[in-house]
Amino acid sequence: MSLLIAQNLSKSYQEAHGRLDVLRGLDLTIEAGEMLAITGQSGCGKSTLLHVLGMLDHADSGTILFQDKPISIKDKTIHEFRNRHIGFVFQFHYLLEDFTAEENIAMPQFLASHNFTKSLKQARELLKELGLYDRREHYPNQLSGGEQQRVAVARAMINSPEILLADEPTGNLDPVHSSELVDLLHQYNRTREQTLVVVTHDMNIAAGVKIHYVLADGILHPA
C-alpha cells in the first residue's frame, strides 16, 4: 500500500493575460519511508504542488489518496488530519514570535492532545536531539537562522507525521546551516524511516536523494 498517491492533478490560475496552467494531469506515487526531491525552474509550480499534496490548497481536478483513502481539502476535519499526519517545513520558519522555542514546537501536539504538559515534555526531548535544549526558552528573534529552521523542523515532527513536506527549507540559510539542515532531514529519513518530499532549487540537495523528479510543463519527469 502506497502512502500517498496523486492522480491526474490539474491546477491553474487566472491572470490578466489569460489562464496559467501550473499542473496538467500530474501523477505521483510516494511510498512510505521514501525521500524524494522535486526541482524545476522558478515559477513552475513546485510550491503549488506541495501545497496541494499537503491539503493547504486545492487542485482544480484530480484525486489524492492517503493510505488508499481519498482525502480532500473540503473535508470537515481536514485541519485535524493535516495536523496529525502531515508535517510542513517552509523556506520561512513561521515561528510564533511571542512563543519560546519549546512552546513553538509543542503547539501542534497541544492542538491534537490538549495536554500542554505532555506536549512541552516531548518538545524538550526533540530540542535535546537537535542540540538546542539550552535554547528552549529563547524566542525566535534570539535564535540564529539555522536554529530557527531546526526548531521549525522539530515542530513539524512532534506529532510523528507519516509524511514531511519541505518547501525550499534551506532557501534562507547560509551554506553551513543549509548543510546542517539537509543532514538533519537525511537523519530523520534514515533513523525514523520518515517519508520526506523536498522541493528545492539546490541541485546539491537533489543529488543526495535517490528519487528526483523535475517539474516541467505541469508534470513530473524522472531526473
Side-chain angles (χ1 to χ4, degrees):
M1 179 176 64
S2 300
L3 178 62
L4 189 148
I5 301 174
Q7 300 173 327
N8 200 29
L9 295 184
S10 295
K11 177 73 175 178
S12 63
Y13 296 98
Q14 192 65 38
E15 298 187 335
H17 62 274
R19 191 177 76 172
L20 174 64
D21 293 317
V22 179
L23 306 178
R24 306 182 188 210
L26 181 146
D27 295 318
L28 175 64
T29 298
I30 302 171
E31 302 296 339
E34 284 184 341
M35 182 174 182
L36 62 91
I38 298 174
T39 60
Q41 294 184 354
S42 178
C44 70
K46 301 187 299 296
S47 293
T48 296
L49 172 59
L50 213 64
H51 291 176
V52 170
L53 295 177
M55 298 290 111
L56 294 174
D57 196 2
H58 65 88
D60 297 335
S61 60
T63 304
I64 297 177
L65 303 175
F66 188 88
Q67 296 177 334
D68 284 349
K69 297 180 181 179
I71 56 173
S72 169
I73 197 171
K74 296 179 181 179
D75 295 341
K76 291 182 179 179
T77 59
I78 196 62
H79 62 289
E80 295 176 4
F81 172 89
R82 194 168 51 222
N83 185 46
R84 291 178 182 273
H85 301 286
I86 305 175
F88 296 93
V89 181
F90 301 98
Q91 178 176 351
F92 302 99
H93 54 76
Y94 295 121
L95 299 178
L96 300 172
E97 295 294 337
D98 294 332
F99 290 79
T100 63
E102 63 183 8
E103 290 169 344
N104 266 283
I105 295 170
M107 194 56 64
Q109 190 174 102
F110 173 65
L111 292 174
S113 68
H114 304 289
N115 186 330
F116 191 67
T117 300
K118 177 184 176 182
S119 302
L120 207 58
K121 180 180 179 180
Q122 188 161 343
R124 289 171 179 167
E125 291 301 316
L126 285 167
L127 283 164
K128 289 177 183 177
E129 286 184 24
L130 296 172
L132 290 174
Y133 186 72
D134 62 339
R135 311 288 279 169
R136 64 189 182 280
E137 295 183 353
H138 286 65
Y139 292 90
N141 63 4
Q142 297 172 315
L143 302 173
S144 70
E147 289 170 338
Q148 290 172 344
Q149 198 64 318
R150 279 187 285 164
V151 168
V153 171
R155 178 183 58 188
M157 290 292 296
I158 194 168
N159 282 336
S160 300
E162 281 86 350
I163 188 167
L164 183 66
L165 306 177
D167 188 1
E168 300 284 9
T170 63
N172 281 335
L173 301 180
D174 60 51
V176 172
H177 288 122
S178 175
S179 178
E180 289 176 350
L181 186 69
V182 172
D183 288 345
L184 176 63
L185 295 178
H186 277 282
Q187 177 185 329
Y188 277 134
N189 175 249
R190 186 173 57 253
T191 62
R192 299 190 181 196
E193 297 185 339
Q194 178 64 55
T195 308
L196 275 155
V197 180
V198 183
V199 159
T200 181
H201 66 277
D202 189 333
M203 297 306 295
N204 290 324
I205 296 176
V209 176
K210 290 183 180 179
I211 304 171
H212 176 196
Y213 293 103
V214 178
L215 181 57
D217 300 319
I219 59 174
L220 291 170
H221 306 266

